[in-house]
Amino acid sequence: MIVLGEVESLILKIDKFLQTYSGNLILNADDPNVARLGKSNPENNNIYYFSVEPYKFATKDIKEAGEGKFCPFCQTRLLYDYYQYSHIGKFSCPSCGFGNNDIYKKAYNVNINQKTFMIDDIEFKTQICSIYTIYNFTASIACACLYKIKYETIQKALSTFSLHNGRLETLKIKDTSTILNLAKNPTGCNVSLRILNEDTSEKELLLVLNDNIADGFDVSWIWDINFDNLNNVKRIITSGKRAYDIAIRIKVAGFDESLIECYNSIEEAINHLYSTNTKKYVIANYTALQPCRNALLKYNSLK
Ligand SMILES: [Zn+2]
């Protein structure tokens, strides 16, 4: 039997489970693929939706590949007031009304630079901040509130929470600011590039792409990554087993090929990356992430 991991097959599996589930369910109201799960069991009265008001870089048109263009209940094309990223945003179905849910917790006044946002007149300050982490935090806050955890406790937890696993991790490598992030599908890579593009400073990018079993042998998903209009990127280095595939993808997007370098060896790529002290962004896919992180730390420890 072939098990497909495509978005729709995953939704259907979760939906099947939820048909007989009546416990608390916290759902992203701004993602049609998630919000639809609120209808899996009409008897469940414990469904709580969260949402995030449009942030500074929200757009009227979709900028990246999306996975939810049509209403799952009546197949009408969904209408969007705005997109936050990918297909996440304020949507509604003009035919059956899907998308009009009561919101339990809504984040607003999102300030990516200040790393702050508000919910219920309370300001939250975080260590890491991008539009998708705001969604994750809002989901966590909705959950914490359901279980009566005080805002003061949540504020304290969020203000000190940081990741050390290569997921939007900030590193200093040889005194050069480096932001490392995992991207294992087009949406993940597009949000990483969104973070890069929202930063106006000069930067260089390292992309590491493997095609091991856990990554999937098929790397055609890289053609759904939006490499158009990279903001102030001075050089791109590619590495990993499929360094040349990702380099071709970037070249086809229109990036100056003379500014692209390919090295299959991650150590070699990192050596070349730090030949300048320009700010670095590093994006690595699933099996590439930890070897890349280890190589960065090892390089940093070299005298
Ligand atoms: Zn509909």
Side-chain angles (χ1 to χ4, degrees):
M1 188 179 80
I2 298 171
V3 179
L4 295 174
E6 282 302 314
V7 172
E8 188 66 20
S9 69
L10 289 172
I11 295 167
L12 293 176
K13 280 180 187 165
I14 300 169
D15 176 66
K16 194 173 175 195
F17 164 76
L18 291 176
Q19 285 168 15
T20 54
Y21 174 78
S22 55
N24 287 337
L25 189 58
I26 298 164
L27 299 172
N28 183 352
D30 299 344
D31 183 340
N33 292 329
V34 174
R36 66 190 269 193
L37 297 168
K39 294 185 186 293
S40 300
N41 179 4
E43 313 273 292
N44 188 354
N45 296 317
N46 301 305
I47 294 168
Y48 301 89
Y49 294 94
F50 64 89
S51 173
V52 179
E53 285 203 343
Y55 83 129
K56 186 179 166 189
F57 299 99
T59 52
K60 284 282 173 201
D61 301 310
I62 192 162
K63 297 290 177 195
E64 297 126 355
E67 295 275 4
K69 289 190 173 65
F70 297 94
C71 175
F73 303 106
C74 72
Q75 283 70 52
T76 305
R77 193 179 186 95
L78 296 173
L79 297 179
Y80 275 78
D81 292 345
Y82 59 86
Y83 293 89
Q84 304 272 39
Y85 66 92
S86 188
H87 59 271
I88 313 296
K90 178 60 191 155
F91 70 89
S92 62
C93 172
S95 177
C96 75
F98 169 54
N100 294 322
N101 296 303
D102 290 336
I103 304 299
Y104 173 61
K105 292 294 165 192
K106 177 174 273 191
Y108 57 97
N109 285 1
V110 173
N111 189 322
I112 299 290
N113 292 335
Q114 301 289 327
K115 300 182 180 175
T116 55
F117 63 98
M118 295 187 75
I119 291 177
D120 290 343
D121 287 333
I122 307 286
E123 186 178 79
F124 295 90
K125 174 107 181 139
T126 64
Q127 295 284 320
I128 53 172
C129 197
S130 72
I131 186 60
Y132 76 88
T133 59
I134 297 291
Y135 272 92
N136 289 344
F137 289 141
T138 307
S140 308
I141 291 168
C143 181
C145 287
L146 261 185
Y147 292 94
K148 312 241 178 301
I149 294 171
K150 288 181 183 156
Y151 273 137
E152 196 183 326
T153 309
I154 303 169
Q155 278 174 308
K156 197 174 165 191
L158 284 193
S159 68
T160 54
F161 171 71
S162 63
L163 292 167
H164 300 286
N165 61 0
R167 296 188 179 215
L168 208 56
E169 183 176 9
T170 302
L171 300 164
K172 271 262 187 260
I173 306 291
K174 303 281 188 200
D175 290 330
T176 301
S177 173
T178 303
I179 294 164
L180 173 64
N181 206 7
L182 167 74
K184 54 192 178 194
N185 53 46
T187 300
C189 203
N190 284 329
V191 290
S192 286
L193 291 174
R194 182 175 274 270
I195 294 164
L196 174 152
N197 284 328
E198 288 168 5
D199 173 2
T200 54
S201 56
E202 223 172 63
K203 79 271 297 184
E204 295 181 336
L205 171 63
L206 167 62
L207 268 158
V208 194
L209 181 68
N210 278 346
D211 64 352
N212 295 317
I213 292 175
D215 304 305
F217 299 129
D218 178 0
V219 294
S220 60
W221 61 271
I222 62 175
W223 292 88
D224 282 335
I225 303 173
N226 182 5
F227 285 107
D228 298 347
N229 307 316
L230 293 175
N231 187 3
N232 215 355
V233 175
K234 298 299 172 192
R235 184 170 60 135
I236 299 180
I237 294 180
T238 67
S239 186
K241 288 171 69 183
R242 303 297 285 263
Y244 289 87
D245 295 72
I246 192 85
I248 289 168
R249 171 67 191 95
I250 295 162
K251 179 186 167 185
V252 169
F255 191 79
D256 183 345
E257 66 180 289
S258 69
L259 303 175
I260 306 174
E261 299 171 28
C262 305
Y263 308 97
N264 286 117
S265 149
I266 185 67
E267 287 78 15
E268 206 181 336
I270 288 172
N271 276 335
H272 285 274
L273 182 67
Y274 289 93
S275 63
T276 70
N277 58 7
T278 309
K279 184 173 184 178
K280 314 295 181 197
Y281 278 81
V282 180
I283 299 173
N285 79 329
Y286 203 59
T287 67
L289 182 69
Q290 292 310 324
C292 177
R293 185 174 186 275
N294 291 340
L296 283 166
L297 297 177
K298 190 175 170 192
Y299 177 81
N300 195 39
S301 67
L302 299 174
K303 294 289 173 206

